[in-house]
Amino acid sequence: MSRPETPPITHIATHTDDAIYVRDASLVDELIGKVSFTDMIVFHLMGRMPTRAESRILDAVLVTLMEHGFTPSVIATRMIALSSPEALQAAVAGGLLCVGSQFVGSMEAAAGLIDEVLAHPDGPEAGARIVAQRHRTGRLTLPGFGHHLHRPDDPRSPRLFAIAEEAGVPGRHIAALRTLSKAIDEVYGRHITINATGAIAALLGEIGMPAEIMRGMAVISRCAGLVGHIREEQQHPTARKLWDTVEHTVEYAGSKGTRG
Amino acid sequence: MSRPETPPITHIATHTDDAIYVRDASLVDELIGKVSFTDMIVFHLMGRMPTRAESRILDAVLVTLMEHGFTPSVIATRMIALSSPEALQAAVAGGLLCVGSQFVGSMEAAAGLIDEVLAHPDGPEAGARIVAQRHRTGRLTLPGFGHHLHRPDDPRSPRLFAIAEEAGVPGRHIAALRTLSKAIDEVYGRHITINATGAIAALLGEIGMPAEIMRGMAVISRCAGLVGHIREEQQHPTARKLWDTVEHTVEYAGSKGTRG
Amino acid sequence: MSRPETPPITHIATHTDDAIYVRDASLVDELIGKVSFTDMIVFHLMGRMPTRAESRILDAVLVTLMEHGFTPSVIATRMIALSSPEALQAAVAGGLLCVGSQFVGSMEAAAGLIDEVLAHPDGPEAGARIVAQRHRTGRLTLPGFGHHLHRPDDPRSPRLFAIAEEAGVPGRHIAALRTLSKAIDEVYGRHITINATGAIAALLGEIGMPAEIMRGMAVISRCAGLVGHIREEQQHPTARKLWDTVEHTVEYAGSKGTRG
Amino acid sequence: MSRPETPPITHIATHTDDAIYVRDASLVDELIGKVSFTDMIVFHLMGRMPTRAESRILDAVLVTLMEHGFTPSVIATRMIALSSPEALQAAVAGGLLCVGSQFVGSMEAAAGLIDEVLAHPDGPEAGARIVAQRHRTGRLTLPGFGHHLHRPDDPRSPRLFAIAEEAGVPGRHIAALRTLSKAIDEVYGRHITINATGAIAALLGEIGMPAEIMRGMAVISRCAGLVGHIREEQQHPTARKLWDTVEHTVEYAGSKGTRG
């Protein structure tokens, strides 16, 4: 490993003794007190301030993903908070490790399908049909579709579409997702709901966010939700009882130590 | 471990087939598209919507802590992003583990000092003097004071005070911190700046946030900053060069394997 | 922050094009295939190979802490494995975040009490009595004592003492812990068991391991246990059912969304 | 989500008031003090005690992966240890998040190639040639081959093969990897070393470990190495200097805040 010849370069931030600059804006003079946290997320990530419409859409996305009850991420966070109450950041970090391929983190895969539908040379209808058939034939998971709880429809998705349309967006990604949804219902012969992560993949596509960073929005939003659960754990603890419940639910398959 | 007799109880959320409720508000009908992410953080955590002043103050706090260059949290995040680009959430989680006692997570300790100053039976001046002298005598770290980069003053603190005062807050915590600052300068015989985490401890105190959850605000804010650094790492990678630089900087104290 | 004037120095490892040295031993020629993993842990950490007795004791410690059923660490790990099966390392990491102050990580606090007993100028009996009384009076947690499951006695502790004595150790730390145990039973007026982390704190003290790194042994041991649980989750999944059970156990305190 | 109808089942462990059983063996009477940590890892994971040969091989694997200098995992761990010295487990966890697809965690992908070579209907030579050509044509990463430091050969691999052969193993996986190596050198027209993770994939295959859990061995081994680095950080800190070095190495691409 030879010493690098050119230095690593960042476009994000620098500082002097008496100033901090984020993407060339003075943190103290131009950002603190002048922009919302949501706007700052866009500015930091994409290097430009969002339009009012984009800002509304991102707020809606971040509000949507914060909370959905005692999900795996909340359970993990509460177990860590019980074990290491002195390390709040660890409890959040452990819960965020659940934002993976299976649940909230699935939006980038959904965005990939939307992009595929949009890019098909014979138009979105043809693209949607091909995507639907490939998933049906291969019995593949359909990212952005279906929900184990919300049936027949995830109530968050139509609301998210309505907000985006009200705010005013080009609408291409949302249209492509709807086209895909129609093709899926036809090919599968039954209705499968567009779930919240599917709708969010379309909304974030509308504001120009690249698919490979979309999961980051789920991480930021869920991070805030997990802090709320830690606060509740501080005031009204549940983790010990959850642990006890799990202990009494799991059965041991061996022959030893049979309880009661 | 006996099976728990009463069930664990949550005040945060529940759901039905077609609705999600967060603190009894319908996520879909009353929250998504109607409140900002910042407002939702307060509502989720504290069970009430913030006033306009509180909302402005929390935005300022969250914007302040998002970014400060290649801090330990950013370095950790970029190392993980280099090693596991497929697990964005892990890179964020690893960086958040740096929000501990030494840097951004120090605000709860600062809030503790402010509370001690406020609670002193002989008034804040007496309390401030005692806190300052105890730290001076015991050569203790002064949470909320001093900064290794920003000298003589951290530029973020006066700006944060100005925003809070402009927004309109009771002002007790800010006043107590200023009293403490004066006592510290006198007892130490030199000026030690109120740093950003100190100022933030006061501001969050003003909006009624309990000290033991304040670190959560640093975690949420830094979470967003780390997502921005991962995005840069995807587009303009630096981690490999940083690793090479570290490799060439560290010297081995043993006798073997001396490199050129 | 000025550029450091002297380089950071490591005593652990270096490498050349064709060799890796760990504490001046050639990894390839002197370590791989010649020492056990347990011996390598001591060599890497303490810079010397363990005696046969020390090696036996550390093996016993690492075997002891690997497994204790569906603890918070196992629950956290399985939740993450369910959510991100593609990131095995994240599931382990999340579970390890549970090795904190409350459970397996408590051995350093126990070691602190043993050291205090040993250091008392009037001898261990006097030291033990003072420690016991301070904890009784202040209603403080007694690290290394008591167990929520194993009553009246944690079966692991006498076994660990027997192994250490059989292997041959100075015995000072074990004797001090027993003295402390006697004092505690007297002061509290009832028998409180020495638990496994208490016994381990004494054993690790016997082999010269500093208190501030003892938690690391719990981390290594539990790490291996968590890998076993992930393997079971791959073959015989439980996490989804555990999640469902938690969902049905937690009750919502609000008025909305009451489920049947 | 309906309540699960059958309980979740574990084959790993159970406990009573006075005993703990791991895979039906009494932890206290049959395992602690009687088996090494390495043997316990196999027993816990695979449900059977290893043979002497398997035990030696796993020791060699675990010793091999513990240490390789200031890798990304070590850098991440030291950054977290600097920031949260009170949470040793978090520093380890953060470093382990680096055991991903790019470095030490790549052994499962290497095992996949070995399995493909072994399974080819026309024999391993044919399988090896196809694998080599597919990677060459697609310019794909070759898991288990190449090393950025060790050229022309990774010294760990021949040593690992020698230990396995000396210990006595069937040898099919090692033979397949050598066949693949030969095919790669021919197809690429130059020698590409079998690296340590490649060799380890073959060795773990020889002892019957499934590919999907192999990364777990890297995690356990590296976990121990990271504990050693935290201990050094406690005694001879480097992290602050590494941070300073990084700060002075990264250049800001914007126009503001240029530092002299």
Side-chain angles (χ1 to χ4, degrees), chain C residues 48 50-58 60 159-174 202-203 205-208:
Chain C
R48 59 173 181 80
T51 64
R52 222 181 117 60
E54 291 171 333
S55 186
R56 273 206 73 200
I57 289 170
L58 187 55
R159 180 83 184 112
L160 287 164
F161 293 146
I163 288 160
E165 281 158 354
E166 206 185 290
V169 287
R172 282 182 74 225
H173 292 76
I174 294 174
L203 263 72
E206 295 291 345
I207 70 174

PDB file of all heavy atoms in Angstrom, chain C residues 48 50-58 60 159-174 202-203 205-208:
ATOM      1  N   ARG C  48       2.520 -11.389  26.211  1.00  0.00           N
ATOM      2  CA  ARG C  48       3.263 -12.577  26.648  1.00  0.00           C
ATOM      3  C   ARG C  48       2.343 -13.786  26.522  1.00  0.00           C
ATOM      4  O   ARG C  48       1.131 -13.667  26.626  1.00  0.00           O
ATOM      5  CB  ARG C  48       3.709 -12.435  28.103  1.00  0.00           C
ATOM      6  CG  ARG C  48       2.541 -12.241  29.067  1.00  0.00           C
ATOM      7  CD  ARG C  48       2.971 -12.270  30.528  1.00  0.00           C
ATOM      8  NE  ARG C  48       1.818 -12.098  31.398  1.00  0.00           N
ATOM      9  CZ  ARG C  48       0.948 -13.065  31.725  1.00  0.00           C
ATOM     10  NH1 ARG C  48       1.097 -14.297  31.252  1.00  0.00           N
ATOM     11  NH2 ARG C  48      -0.080 -12.828  32.525  1.00  0.00           N
ATOM     12  N   PRO C  50       0.454 -17.054  27.730  1.00  0.00           N
ATOM     13  CA  PRO C  50      -0.027 -17.452  29.059  1.00  0.00           C
ATOM     14  C   PRO C  50       0.671 -18.724  29.538  1.00  0.00           C
ATOM     15  O   PRO C  50       1.151 -19.519  28.722  1.00  0.00           O
ATOM     16  CB  PRO C  50      -1.511 -17.723  28.821  1.00  0.00           C
ATOM     17  CG  PRO C  50      -1.597 -18.118  27.385  1.00  0.00           C
ATOM     18  CD  PRO C  50      -0.538 -17.323  26.675  1.00  0.00           C
ATOM     19  N   THR C  51       0.717 -18.893  30.844  1.00  0.00           N
ATOM     20  CA  THR C  51       1.136 -20.194  31.382  1.00  0.00           C
ATOM     21  C   THR C  51       0.002 -21.185  31.107  1.00  0.00           C
ATOM     22  O   THR C  51      -1.103 -20.801  30.727  1.00  0.00           O
ATOM     23  CB  THR C  51       1.328 -20.114  32.908  1.00  0.00           C
ATOM     24  OG1 THR C  51       0.044 -19.824  33.510  1.00  0.00           O
ATOM     25  CG2 THR C  51       2.304 -19.008  33.287  1.00  0.00           C
ATOM     26  N   ARG C  52       0.291 -22.465  31.351  1.00  0.00           N
ATOM     27  CA  ARG C  52      -0.755 -23.466  31.135  1.00  0.00           C
ATOM     28  C   ARG C  52      -1.953 -23.217  32.050  1.00  0.00           C
ATOM     29  O   ARG C  52      -3.111 -23.361  31.636  1.00  0.00           O
ATOM     30  CB  ARG C  52      -0.168 -24.861  31.417  1.00  0.00           C
ATOM     31  CG  ARG C  52      -0.599 -25.904  30.399  1.00  0.00           C
ATOM     32  CD  ARG C  52      -0.024 -27.274  30.697  1.00  0.00           C
ATOM     33  NE  ARG C  52      -1.091 -28.242  30.972  1.00  0.00           N
ATOM     34  CZ  ARG C  52      -2.058 -28.558  30.104  1.00  0.00           C
ATOM     35  NH1 ARG C  52      -2.113 -27.998  28.906  1.00  0.00           N
ATOM     36  NH2 ARG C  52      -2.982 -29.450  30.430  1.00  0.00           N
ATOM     37  N   ALA C  53      -1.670 -22.799  33.260  1.00  0.00           N
ATOM     38  CA  ALA C  53      -2.762 -22.509  34.199  1.00  0.00           C
ATOM     39  C   ALA C  53      -3.615 -21.340  33.707  1.00  0.00           C
ATOM     40  O   ALA C  53      -4.847 -21.391  33.724  1.00  0.00           O
ATOM     41  CB  ALA C  53      -2.186 -22.198  35.586  1.00  0.00           C
ATOM     42  N   GLU C  54      -2.937 -20.280  33.280  1.00  0.00           N
ATOM     43  CA  GLU C  54      -3.665 -19.105  32.797  1.00  0.00           C
ATOM     44  C   GLU C  54      -4.526 -19.436  31.589  1.00  0.00           C
ATOM     45  O   GLU C  54      -5.646 -18.952  31.436  1.00  0.00           O
ATOM     46  CB  GLU C  54      -2.674 -17.992  32.444  1.00  0.00           C
ATOM     47  CG  GLU C  54      -1.979 -17.405  33.670  1.00  0.00           C
ATOM     48  CD  GLU C  54      -0.850 -16.457  33.296  1.00  0.00           C
ATOM     49  OE1 GLU C  54      -0.255 -16.604  32.208  1.00  0.00           O
ATOM     50  OE2 GLU C  54      -0.557 -15.552  34.094  1.00  0.00           O
ATOM     51  N   SER C  55      -3.972 -20.272  30.739  1.00  0.00           N
ATOM     52  CA  SER C  55      -4.689 -20.648  29.537  1.00  0.00           C
ATOM     53  C   SER C  55      -5.964 -21.429  29.891  1.00  0.00           C
ATOM     54  O   SER C  55      -7.036 -21.172  29.334  1.00  0.00           O
ATOM     55  CB  SER C  55      -3.734 -21.498  28.695  1.00  0.00           C
ATOM     56  OG  SER C  55      -4.290 -21.794  27.462  1.00  0.00           O
ATOM     57  N   ARG C  56      -5.849 -22.354  30.841  1.00  0.00           N
ATOM     58  CA  ARG C  56      -7.014 -23.130  31.282  1.00  0.00           C
ATOM     59  C   ARG C  56      -8.083 -22.213  31.880  1.00  0.00           C
ATOM     60  O   ARG C  56      -9.280 -22.391  31.655  1.00  0.00           O
ATOM     61  CB  ARG C  56      -6.620 -24.140  32.374  1.00  0.00           C
ATOM     62  CG  ARG C  56      -6.138 -25.463  31.821  1.00  0.00           C
ATOM     63  CD  ARG C  56      -6.383 -26.572  32.853  1.00  0.00           C
ATOM     64  NE  ARG C  56      -7.796 -26.905  32.956  1.00  0.00           N
ATOM     65  CZ  ARG C  56      -8.365 -27.524  33.992  1.00  0.00           C
ATOM     66  NH1 ARG C  56      -7.619 -27.873  35.036  1.00  0.00           N
ATOM     67  NH2 ARG C  56      -9.657 -27.799  34.005  1.00  0.00           N
ATOM     68  N   ILE C  57      -7.615 -21.258  32.668  1.00  0.00           N
ATOM     69  CA  ILE C  57      -8.562 -20.345  33.320  1.00  0.00           C
ATOM     70  C   ILE C  57      -9.290 -19.480  32.300  1.00  0.00           C
ATOM     71  O   ILE C  57     -10.510 -19.311  32.357  1.00  0.00           O
ATOM     72  CB  ILE C  57      -7.824 -19.489  34.376  1.00  0.00           C
ATOM     73  CG1 ILE C  57      -7.444 -20.389  35.563  1.00  0.00           C
ATOM     74  CG2 ILE C  57      -8.665 -18.299  34.814  1.00  0.00           C
ATOM     75  CD1 ILE C  57      -6.516 -19.738  36.561  1.00  0.00           C
ATOM     76  N   LEU C  58      -8.548 -18.951  31.337  1.00  0.00           N
ATOM     77  CA  LEU C  58      -9.215 -18.111  30.345  1.00  0.00           C
ATOM     78  C   LEU C  58     -10.181 -18.943  29.496  1.00  0.00           C
ATOM     79  O   LEU C  58     -11.282 -18.486  29.169  1.00  0.00           O
ATOM     80  CB  LEU C  58      -8.198 -17.383  29.463  1.00  0.00           C
ATOM     81  CG  LEU C  58      -8.810 -16.356  28.505  1.00  0.00           C
ATOM     82  CD1 LEU C  58      -9.674 -15.334  29.243  1.00  0.00           C
ATOM     83  CD2 LEU C  58      -7.737 -15.637  27.699  1.00  0.00           C
ATOM     84  N   ALA C  60     -11.887 -21.452  30.547  1.00  0.00           N
ATOM     85  CA  ALA C  60     -13.074 -21.647  31.390  1.00  0.00           C
ATOM     86  C   ALA C  60     -13.956 -20.396  31.388  1.00  0.00           C
ATOM     87  O   ALA C  60     -15.187 -20.480  31.296  1.00  0.00           O
ATOM     88  CB  ALA C  60     -12.652 -22.008  32.813  1.00  0.00           C
ATOM     89  N   ARG C 159     -17.711 -23.760  40.389  1.00  0.00           N
ATOM     90  CA  ARG C 159     -16.962 -24.505  39.365  1.00  0.00           C
ATOM     91  C   ARG C 159     -15.764 -23.691  38.881  1.00  0.00           C
ATOM     92  O   ARG C 159     -14.664 -24.227  38.709  1.00  0.00           O
ATOM     93  CB  ARG C 159     -17.907 -24.804  38.206  1.00  0.00           C
ATOM     94  CG  ARG C 159     -17.283 -25.572  37.063  1.00  0.00           C
ATOM     95  CD  ARG C 159     -17.257 -27.067  37.323  1.00  0.00           C
ATOM     96  NE  ARG C 159     -16.562 -27.766  36.235  1.00  0.00           N
ATOM     97  CZ  ARG C 159     -15.395 -28.373  36.371  1.00  0.00           C
ATOM     98  NH1 ARG C 159     -14.788 -28.443  37.541  1.00  0.00           N
ATOM     99  NH2 ARG C 159     -14.825 -28.974  35.336  1.00  0.00           N
ATOM    100  N   LEU C 160     -15.962 -22.410  38.668  1.00  0.00           N
ATOM    101  CA  LEU C 160     -14.860 -21.559  38.207  1.00  0.00           C
ATOM    102  C   LEU C 160     -13.762 -21.480  39.270  1.00  0.00           C
ATOM    103  O   LEU C 160     -12.563 -21.546  38.950  1.00  0.00           O
ATOM    104  CB  LEU C 160     -15.385 -20.161  37.851  1.00  0.00           C
ATOM    105  CG  LEU C 160     -16.193 -20.098  36.549  1.00  0.00           C
ATOM    106  CD1 LEU C 160     -17.001 -18.808  36.464  1.00  0.00           C
ATOM    107  CD2 LEU C 160     -15.255 -20.197  35.325  1.00  0.00           C
ATOM    108  N   PHE C 161     -14.143 -21.354  40.526  1.00  0.00           N
ATOM    109  CA  PHE C 161     -13.130 -21.320  41.593  1.00  0.00           C
ATOM    110  C   PHE C 161     -12.351 -22.638  41.612  1.00  0.00           C
ATOM    111  O   PHE C 161     -11.125 -22.653  41.738  1.00  0.00           O
ATOM    112  CB  PHE C 161     -13.789 -21.110  42.960  1.00  0.00           C
ATOM    113  CG  PHE C 161     -14.424 -19.755  43.110  1.00  0.00           C
ATOM    114  CD1 PHE C 161     -15.595 -19.585  43.868  1.00  0.00           C
ATOM    115  CD2 PHE C 161     -13.869 -18.630  42.523  1.00  0.00           C
ATOM    116  CE1 PHE C 161     -16.179 -18.340  44.011  1.00  0.00           C
ATOM    117  CE2 PHE C 161     -14.454 -17.371  42.667  1.00  0.00           C
ATOM    118  CZ  PHE C 161     -15.613 -17.231  43.409  1.00  0.00           C
ATOM    119  N   ALA C 162     -13.071 -23.759  41.487  1.00  0.00           N
ATOM    120  CA  ALA C 162     -12.413 -25.075  41.529  1.00  0.00           C
ATOM    121  C   ALA C 162     -11.395 -25.221  40.407  1.00  0.00           C
ATOM    122  O   ALA C 162     -10.280 -25.716  40.608  1.00  0.00           O
ATOM    123  CB  ALA C 162     -13.474 -26.184  41.445  1.00  0.00           C
ATOM    124  N   ILE C 163     -11.769 -24.751  39.223  1.00  0.00           N
ATOM    125  CA  ILE C 163     -10.838 -24.853  38.088  1.00  0.00           C
ATOM    126  C   ILE C 163      -9.593 -24.023  38.343  1.00  0.00           C
ATOM    127  O   ILE C 163      -8.469 -24.456  38.089  1.00  0.00           O
ATOM    128  CB  ILE C 163     -11.535 -24.389  36.792  1.00  0.00           C
ATOM    129  CG1 ILE C 163     -12.547 -25.452  36.374  1.00  0.00           C
ATOM    130  CG2 ILE C 163     -10.539 -24.135  35.680  1.00  0.00           C
ATOM    131  CD1 ILE C 163     -13.598 -24.931  35.448  1.00  0.00           C
ATOM    132  N   ALA C 164      -9.799 -22.835  38.839  1.00  0.00           N
ATOM    133  CA  ALA C 164      -8.647 -21.948  39.093  1.00  0.00           C
ATOM    134  C   ALA C 164      -7.744 -22.557  40.146  1.00  0.00           C
ATOM    135  O   ALA C 164      -6.507 -22.544  40.013  1.00  0.00           O
ATOM    136  CB  ALA C 164      -9.139 -20.569  39.532  1.00  0.00           C
ATOM    137  N   GLU C 165      -8.315 -23.111  41.170  1.00  0.00           N
ATOM    138  CA  GLU C 165      -7.488 -23.664  42.254  1.00  0.00           C
ATOM    139  C   GLU C 165      -6.778 -24.934  41.801  1.00  0.00           C
ATOM    140  O   GLU C 165      -5.604 -25.147  42.134  1.00  0.00           O
ATOM    141  CB  GLU C 165      -8.362 -23.883  43.490  1.00  0.00           C
ATOM    142  CG  GLU C 165      -8.569 -22.543  44.212  1.00  0.00           C
ATOM    143  CD  GLU C 165      -9.795 -22.470  45.107  1.00  0.00           C
ATOM    144  OE1 GLU C 165     -10.593 -23.423  45.116  1.00  0.00           O
ATOM    145  OE2 GLU C 165      -9.956 -21.436  45.779  1.00  0.00           O
ATOM    146  N   GLU C 166      -7.477 -25.729  41.010  1.00  0.00           N
ATOM    147  CA  GLU C 166      -6.882 -26.932  40.432  1.00  0.00           C
ATOM    148  C   GLU C 166      -5.718 -26.563  39.502  1.00  0.00           C
ATOM    149  O   GLU C 166      -4.685 -27.217  39.496  1.00  0.00           O
ATOM    150  CB  GLU C 166      -7.990 -27.590  39.625  1.00  0.00           C
ATOM    151  CG  GLU C 166      -7.923 -29.067  39.409  1.00  0.00           C
ATOM    152  CD  GLU C 166      -9.076 -29.432  38.479  1.00  0.00           C
ATOM    153  OE1 GLU C 166     -10.249 -29.372  38.919  1.00  0.00           O
ATOM    154  OE2 GLU C 166      -8.797 -29.737  37.293  1.00  0.00           O
ATOM    155  N   ALA C 167      -5.930 -25.511  38.698  1.00  0.00           N
ATOM    156  CA  ALA C 167      -4.886 -25.100  37.754  1.00  0.00           C
ATOM    157  C   ALA C 167      -3.694 -24.502  38.497  1.00  0.00           C
ATOM    158  O   ALA C 167      -2.556 -24.575  38.030  1.00  0.00           O
ATOM    159  CB  ALA C 167      -5.456 -24.070  36.764  1.00  0.00           C
ATOM    160  N   GLY C 168      -3.978 -23.952  39.654  1.00  0.00           N
ATOM    161  CA  GLY C 168      -2.890 -23.374  40.441  1.00  0.00           C
ATOM    162  C   GLY C 168      -2.727 -21.889  40.187  1.00  0.00           C
ATOM    163  O   GLY C 168      -2.130 -21.495  39.205  1.00  0.00           O
ATOM    164  N   VAL C 169      -3.281 -21.080  41.071  1.00  0.00           N
ATOM    165  CA  VAL C 169      -3.135 -19.626  40.956  1.00  0.00           C
ATOM    166  C   VAL C 169      -2.783 -19.077  42.324  1.00  0.00           C
ATOM    167  O   VAL C 169      -2.996 -19.753  43.337  1.00  0.00           O
ATOM    168  CB  VAL C 169      -4.439 -18.952  40.465  1.00  0.00           C
ATOM    169  CG1 VAL C 169      -4.666 -19.233  38.998  1.00  0.00           C
ATOM    170  CG2 VAL C 169      -5.618 -19.394  41.322  1.00  0.00           C
ATOM    171  N   PRO C 170      -2.239 -17.871  42.397  1.00  0.00           N
ATOM    172  CA  PRO C 170      -1.907 -17.299  43.706  1.00  0.00           C
ATOM    173  C   PRO C 170      -3.107 -17.344  44.651  1.00  0.00           C
ATOM    174  O   PRO C 170      -2.980 -17.684  45.826  1.00  0.00           O
ATOM    175  CB  PRO C 170      -1.516 -15.852  43.376  1.00  0.00           C
ATOM    176  CG  PRO C 170      -1.094 -15.872  41.942  1.00  0.00           C
ATOM    177  CD  PRO C 170      -1.863 -16.966  41.288  1.00  0.00           C
ATOM    178  N   GLY C 171      -4.285 -16.989  44.133  1.00  0.00           N
ATOM    179  CA  GLY C 171      -5.485 -17.129  44.944  1.00  0.00           C
ATOM    180  C   GLY C 171      -5.901 -15.902  45.727  1.00  0.00           C
ATOM    181  O   GLY C 171      -6.927 -15.921  46.416  1.00  0.00           O
ATOM    182  N   ARG C 172      -5.169 -14.804  45.594  1.00  0.00           N
ATOM    183  CA  ARG C 172      -5.503 -13.604  46.375  1.00  0.00           C
ATOM    184  C   ARG C 172      -6.862 -13.009  46.005  1.00  0.00           C
ATOM    185  O   ARG C 172      -7.631 -12.617  46.885  1.00  0.00           O
ATOM    186  CB  ARG C 172      -4.462 -12.503  46.151  1.00  0.00           C
ATOM    187  CG  ARG C 172      -3.170 -12.701  46.926  1.00  0.00           C
ATOM    188  CD  ARG C 172      -2.250 -11.523  46.653  1.00  0.00           C
ATOM    189  NE  ARG C 172      -2.691 -10.311  47.343  1.00  0.00           N
ATOM    190  CZ  ARG C 172      -2.746  -9.097  46.798  1.00  0.00           C
ATOM    191  NH1 ARG C 172      -2.413  -8.923  45.536  1.00  0.00           N
ATOM    192  NH2 ARG C 172      -3.150  -8.062  47.497  1.00  0.00           N
ATOM    193  N   HIS C 173      -7.124 -12.916  44.715  1.00  0.00           N
ATOM    194  CA  HIS C 173      -8.388 -12.298  44.297  1.00  0.00           C
ATOM    195  C   HIS C 173      -9.583 -13.178  44.673  1.00  0.00           C
ATOM    196  O   HIS C 173     -10.627 -12.676  45.076  1.00  0.00           O
ATOM    197  CB  HIS C 173      -8.381 -12.038  42.790  1.00  0.00           C
ATOM    198  CG  HIS C 173      -7.401 -10.985  42.382  1.00  0.00           C
ATOM    199  ND1 HIS C 173      -6.041 -11.205  42.303  1.00  0.00           N
ATOM    200  CD2 HIS C 173      -7.577  -9.678  42.057  1.00  0.00           C
ATOM    201  CE1 HIS C 173      -5.436 -10.103  41.923  1.00  0.00           C
ATOM    202  NE2 HIS C 173      -6.340  -9.158  41.765  1.00  0.00           N
ATOM    203  N   ILE C 174      -9.414 -14.475  44.508  1.00  0.00           N
ATOM    204  CA  ILE C 174     -10.508 -15.380  44.875  1.00  0.00           C
ATOM    205  C   ILE C 174     -10.768 -15.300  46.378  1.00  0.00           C
ATOM    206  O   ILE C 174     -11.923 -15.199  46.820  1.00  0.00           O
ATOM    207  CB  ILE C 174     -10.180 -16.827  44.437  1.00  0.00           C
ATOM    208  CG1 ILE C 174     -10.129 -16.889  42.901  1.00  0.00           C
ATOM    209  CG2 ILE C 174     -11.205 -17.812  44.985  1.00  0.00           C
ATOM    210  CD1 ILE C 174      -9.675 -18.230  42.338  1.00  0.00           C
ATOM    211  N   ALA C 202     -12.723 -12.270  39.654  1.00  0.00           N
ATOM    212  CA  ALA C 202     -11.644 -12.788  40.505  1.00  0.00           C
ATOM    213  C   ALA C 202     -10.657 -13.618  39.692  1.00  0.00           C
ATOM    214  O   ALA C 202      -9.439 -13.462  39.814  1.00  0.00           O
ATOM    215  CB  ALA C 202     -12.239 -13.616  41.645  1.00  0.00           C
ATOM    216  N   LEU C 203     -11.169 -14.489  38.839  1.00  0.00           N
ATOM    217  CA  LEU C 203     -10.274 -15.344  38.041  1.00  0.00           C
ATOM    218  C   LEU C 203      -9.391 -14.518  37.113  1.00  0.00           C
ATOM    219  O   LEU C 203      -8.193 -14.805  36.979  1.00  0.00           O
ATOM    220  CB  LEU C 203     -11.082 -16.352  37.211  1.00  0.00           C
ATOM    221  CG  LEU C 203     -11.222 -17.750  37.832  1.00  0.00           C
ATOM    222  CD1 LEU C 203     -12.166 -17.713  39.032  1.00  0.00           C
ATOM    223  CD2 LEU C 203     -11.696 -18.772  36.822  1.00  0.00           C
ATOM    224  N   GLY C 205      -8.540 -11.488  37.533  1.00  0.00           N
ATOM    225  CA  GLY C 205      -7.568 -10.820  38.408  1.00  0.00           C
ATOM    226  C   GLY C 205      -6.393 -11.740  38.712  1.00  0.00           C
ATOM    227  O   GLY C 205      -5.227 -11.309  38.711  1.00  0.00           O
ATOM    228  N   GLU C 206      -6.679 -13.000  38.932  1.00  0.00           N
ATOM    229  CA  GLU C 206      -5.612 -13.976  39.232  1.00  0.00           C
ATOM    230  C   GLU C 206      -4.611 -14.114  38.092  1.00  0.00           C
ATOM    231  O   GLU C 206      -3.435 -14.411  38.311  1.00  0.00           O
ATOM    232  CB  GLU C 206      -6.225 -15.352  39.540  1.00  0.00           C
ATOM    233  CG  GLU C 206      -7.086 -15.419  40.798  1.00  0.00           C
ATOM    234  CD  GLU C 206      -6.266 -15.267  42.086  1.00  0.00           C
ATOM    235  OE1 GLU C 206      -5.040 -15.390  42.041  1.00  0.00           O
ATOM    236  OE2 GLU C 206      -6.891 -15.004  43.147  1.00  0.00           O
ATOM    237  N   ILE C 207      -5.072 -13.962  36.846  1.00  0.00           N
ATOM    238  CA  ILE C 207      -4.128 -14.109  35.734  1.00  0.00           C
ATOM    239  C   ILE C 207      -3.569 -12.754  35.290  1.00  0.00           C
ATOM    240  O   ILE C 207      -2.953 -12.646  34.230  1.00  0.00           O
ATOM    241  CB  ILE C 207      -4.738 -14.876  34.540  1.00  0.00           C
ATOM    242  CG1 ILE C 207      -5.827 -14.066  33.817  1.00  0.00           C
ATOM    243  CG2 ILE C 207      -5.326 -16.213  35.003  1.00  0.00           C
ATOM    244  CD1 ILE C 207      -6.337 -14.773  32.544  1.00  0.00           C
ATOM    245  N   GLY C 208      -3.802 -11.733  36.099  1.00  0.00           N
ATOM    246  CA  GLY C 208      -3.145 -10.445  35.847  1.00  0.00           C
ATOM    247  C   GLY C 208      -3.817  -9.561  34.833  1.00  0.00           C
ATOM    248  O   GLY C 208      -3.194  -8.642  34.292  1.00  0.00           O
TER     249      GLY C 208
END
